[in-house]
Amino acid sequence: MRPALTDGPAAATVSGVGYEVSHLRALESEAIHIMREVAAEVERAVLLFSGGKDSVVLLRLAEKAFYPARFPFAVMHVDTGQNFPEVLEFRDRRMEELDARLIVASVQDSIDSGRVVDETGPRASRNRLQTVTLLDAITEHDFRAAFGGARRDEERARAKERIFSFRDDFGGWDPKTQRPELWSLYNAHMNPGEHMRVFPLSNWTELDVWQYIREEELEIPAMYFAHTREVFARDGMLYATSPFVELLPGEEPFEESVRYRTVGDMSCTGAVRSTASTLDDVVAEIAATRITERGETRADDRASEAAMEDRKREGYF
């Protein structure tokens, strides 16, 4: 049973977390202000939803921002066709519970129409192909703003983002032309053909997200908690065995207690060894780690030092 909507996170009951709750309340207020600002200034917006923890928090913030009304924008998932089944089940159930308008932008449709070419081989991934699918969907539905759950602590290229991040008429991003955002003032003016990505969680950390999920008692996909799964080791990461990944010579599946720090395409999202089976366990685990989630579990971000920035310049999330 989810708690009723309130003005802020539930009151803490354990010693030493008064500051934590006050900090979360400030982050929540900032994110709600950003969402309301977009709703006031932009005619057509969409919330990008991956089914992951950051998306779950975005949905909760949108609920609070516009309560008791429904939030005034659609929800869109860019589906690679190679997603974790747990995430798709969770996505569909949450959209039904919220009575939200769900748009599924399909990478498979982009492949079938010749817009992109599917990769082949043991290291094939559809992750990069999402960019074309996303940009096509934004154009098709004439969205002027797209909310995303990216945070500045995830990866160095994301640290260059503004909260209002403008994309040119080709969907490209130029970090050198980002607008200043002094005193929490946001300039939403867009030239013809442009759109913007909006990141209400920019000033949150992974630990903030998990603490907020705990305080708000939010449901998340079960794969975020420790479970036994058949995996194989590659390049220092553990991947789930699936029909979408071809094993290399010498790679042998085995069972391991793992959990996921992020969700994405099964071909490039790794698990971590873990016994964290509760939210308290996960919060403690994240508080102790010194490795970012994408650095530890996303193969696509290990391709080069500038892998994420290169994709973002092309129109990636």
Side-chain angles (χ1 to χ4, degrees), residues 78-312:
V78 179
D79 184 356
T80 67
Q82 299 180 351
N83 298 98
F84 289 89
E86 301 99 313
V87 174
L88 296 180
E89 184 277 330
F90 175 78
R91 176 200 71 186
D92 293 341
R93 180 162 46 79
R94 286 297 293 127
M95 293 303 102
E96 183 176 353
E97 291 170 354
L98 291 170
D99 192 24
R101 177 191 171 205
L102 174 64
I103 298 170
V104 177
S106 169
V107 172
Q108 185 62 56
D109 287 348
S110 297
I111 294 169
D112 294 342
S113 65
R115 291 285 292 146
V116 295
V117 178
D118 203 6
E119 296 180 6
T120 59
R123 297 186 184 277
S125 172
R126 291 185 173 182
N127 198 55
R128 193 174 188 117
L129 306 185
Q130 293 179 87
T131 298
V132 171
T133 305
L134 172 64
L135 293 176
D136 285 351
I138 287 173
T139 299
E140 177 186 351
H141 297 280
D142 193 28
F143 291 128
R144 304 304 306 283
F147 291 101
R151 309 181 320 271
R152 289 178 176 141
D153 73 321
E154 286 183 77
E155 197 274 342
R156 65 186 66 185
R158 295 208 188 276
K160 299 179 181 180
E161 286 276 21
R162 297 290 193 266
I163 291 174
F164 281 22
S165 180
F166 290 83
R167 307 303 171 103
D168 62 26
D169 50 0
F170 295 103
W173 172 73
D174 183 355
K176 295 180 181 179
T177 61
Q178 296 287 293
R179 300 172 184 177
E181 293 179 338
L182 306 176
W183 311 294
S184 298
L185 297 176
Y186 306 108
N187 182 353
H189 172 74
M190 284 174 279
N191 296 316
E194 290 182 335
H195 72 276
M196 66 180 180
R197 311 289 170 81
V198 183
F199 301 110
L201 304 185
S202 286
N203 293 326
W204 298 51
T205 66
E206 184 184 8
L207 182 59
D208 292 330
V209 168
W210 279 110
Q211 289 173 334
Y212 188 80
I213 288 171
R214 180 177 64 181
E215 295 302 326
E216 289 287 310
E217 300 178 20
L218 301 181
E219 182 186 0
I220 53 176
M223 59 190 288
Y224 276 114
F225 299 107
H227 59 287
T228 300
R229 200 177 197 111
E230 185 178 84
V231 298
F232 66 94
R234 177 184 292 178
D235 301 330
M237 295 172 58
L238 298 178
Y239 295 92
T241 56
S242 76
F244 312 122
V245 182
E246 178 183 338
L247 297 181
L248 292 167
E251 292 179 339
E252 295 292 338
F254 58 94
E255 288 193 344
E256 184 66 78
S257 176
V258 299
R259 73 174 195 86
Y260 287 83
R261 292 178 65 182
T262 184
V263 301
D265 192 294
M266 293 186 74
S267 66
C268 63
T269 304
V272 295
R273 289 182 173 88
S274 176
T275 58
S277 58
T278 69
L279 283 173
D280 285 341
D281 292 341
V282 172
V283 168
E285 188 175 274
I286 295 302
T289 189
R290 293 295 178 266
I291 304 175
T292 66
E293 63 201 89
R294 298 190 73 90
E296 185 173 25
T297 63
R298 292 299 290 268
D300 48 322
D301 290 338
R302 295 182 171 193
S304 73
E305 287 290 323
M308 173 63 79
E309 184 162 331
D310 289 343
R311 295 200 306 279
K312 287 175 68 63

